[in-house]
Amino acid sequence: MTALDQFTYPPEAPLDCDRCPRLVEYLNDCRAKEPDWFNAPVPSFGPEDAELLIVGLAPGVTGANRTARPFTGDYAGDLLYATLEKFDFSNGKYDSRPDDGLELKNAMITNAVRCVPPQNKPIGAEITNCRPFLISRMNNLPNLKVILALGKIAHDSTVKTLGGKLAAHKFAHAAEHSFQYNDREITLVDSYHCSRYNTNTGKLTTEMFENVFSLIANQLDK
Ligand code: SF4
């Protein structure tokens, strides 16, 4: 794929995207088992004038893959949406379902990989295949200033999207990385993923996650 091709991609993947055969097969299995679930590339959630873009890994099979809204209906969403509310990035109450009336303010949530992967583990080719949609998503946020990467895969894909070198921008919790991107200054902030495993093991505490959002608030206030 050339750089020019990337600009022909829409910010949201088509529901019948077939670029990743393994994920298409997995989605077909999910459709057979759970025909009432969404079972398709999950679109981003949030307003197009957002200054903050949150990049997760991929939809959870019983979370966003079921409900069609990122981080909705699984454990990781509880901490993420509670923190978004605390830092005034949302209106309404998160209630684990896409019709809870929740709206995001100045923030959008997307995923590095838009289709649910088996065992929550996309392979390298799938991350690469889906990156044009992440590039297009970023290019279609005219006010974008800060990107929050949840976990190393989201961090790495975002650094590549921004044209940076991974050796110069290593993932670390609460690290901040500066980029010049399309004549704009973008700050990438890293956090451990707010997964059940990370929070249950204490790798990520609520305080640590809120500290990351304090960094984001400071960047947006600049
Ligand atoms: S992960 Fe992305 S590129 Fe791969 S099939 Fe799904 S939407 Fe398409």
Side-chain angles (χ1 to χ4, degrees):
M1 179 185 309
T2 67
L4 193 60
D5 289 334
Q6 293 173 348
F7 289 101
T8 67
Y9 279 74
E12 302 305 328
L15 296 183
D16 61 351
C17 183
D18 60 359
R19 290 172 61 82
C20 305
R22 187 183 77 118
L23 301 188
V24 170
E25 190 180 333
Y26 187 52
L27 279 176
N28 283 335
D29 289 347
C30 291
R31 286 185 192 111
K33 283 182 197 145
E34 300 288 352
D36 294 334
W37 290 6
F38 184 61
N39 297 320
V42 174
S44 312
F45 174 48
E48 301 270 336
D49 62 354
E51 293 177 300
L52 169 64
L53 179 65
I54 299 166
V55 182
L57 167 60
V61 66
T62 60
N65 176 64
R66 174 174 60 88
T67 63
R69 196 175 74 179
F71 287 86
T72 297
D74 59 13
Y75 187 89
D78 292 349
L79 178 57
L80 177 59
Y81 283 111
T83 310
L84 285 166
E85 180 183 358
K86 184 163 187 175
F87 283 80
D88 200 27
F89 283 110
S90 63
N91 278 327
K93 273 281 169 204
Y94 171 70
D95 193 24
S96 304
R97 50 190 174 83
D99 59 351
D100 57 11
L102 184 80
E103 290 180 350
L104 295 188
K105 290 190 292 184
N106 205 23
M108 177 180 277
I109 309 174
T110 193
N111 279 307
V113 174
R114 305 290 178 94
C115 295
V116 58
Q119 283 89 48
N120 279 337
K121 287 187 181 140
I123 59 175
E126 292 158 357
I127 300 164
T128 301
N129 288 344
C130 218
R131 190 168 301 119
F133 297 114
L134 180 59
I135 294 171
S136 181
R137 182 65 281 164
M138 285 170 39
N139 290 343
N140 282 279
L141 293 179
N143 299 329
L144 180 64
K145 288 185 181 160
V146 177
I147 299 173
L148 168 61
L150 296 175
K152 185 172 182 305
I153 288 177
H155 164 93
D156 287 359
S157 198
T158 303
V159 169
K160 289 177 184 172
T161 297
L162 292 167
K165 298 231 179 305
L166 294 179
H169 299 283
K170 293 198 168 134
F171 174 82
H173 182 76
E176 297 174 272
H177 311 264
S178 298
F179 294 88
Q180 281 288 330
Y181 179 73
N182 288 349
D183 298 326
R184 286 187 281 172
E185 283 190 20
I186 304 275
T187 301
L188 170 63
V189 181
D190 293 338
S191 173
Y192 292 133
H193 194 283
C194 47
S195 65
R196 182 195 296 262
Y197 178 83
N198 282 346
T199 50
N200 280 355
T201 58
K203 184 171 183 177
L204 180 69
T205 64
T206 299
E207 185 182 11
M208 287 167 68
F209 201 53
E210 290 182 356
N211 284 343
V212 165
F213 272 79
S214 294
L215 296 176
I216 291 168
N218 286 340
Q219 288 292 345
L220 293 180
D221 279 347
K222 276 183 185 171

